Amino acid sequence: MQIEDQVQGLTYHTTVSSVAVYGGVPIPAQAAKAKKAHVLVATPGRLQDLMDRRMVNLDAVTILVLDE
């Protein structure tokens, strides 16, 4: 959530959208938002879960940052 807060601040006056996805929150709602976002901030486990369920596709990703 801290990273998502920073992204929100940096993109406030732009058309760039972002969303944070993490465990403990219903997957369908997060997946729907993730599909529309320009920036996806995710915990590794939830990202893997979304990919395994084919709810998120990273084929068009140009930059990936891993911070764990």
Side-chain angles (χ1 to χ4, degrees):
M1 289 307 300
Q2 292 170 332
I3 295 170
E4 168 62 2
D5 289 343
Q6 291 299 312
V7 171
Q8 288 286 325
L10 291 169
T11 60
Y12 184 71
H13 293 291
T14 72
T15 59
V16 175
S17 62
S18 65
V19 65
V21 296
Y22 46 87
V25 178
I27 290 175
Q30 286 186 342
K33 291 178 182 178
K35 288 180 183 180
K36 298 176 184 178
H38 295 105
V39 177
L40 176 62
V41 178
T43 58
R46 180 50 58 104
L47 180 59
Q48 184 67 54
D49 194 13
L50 290 170
M51 290 169 47
D52 290 347
R53 295 171 186 246
R54 292 190 164 86
M55 298 177 102
V56 169
N57 183 325
L58 302 183
D59 287 348
V61 170
T62 56
I63 298 171
L64 174 66
V65 178
L66 296 175
D67 178 19
E68 181 57 26

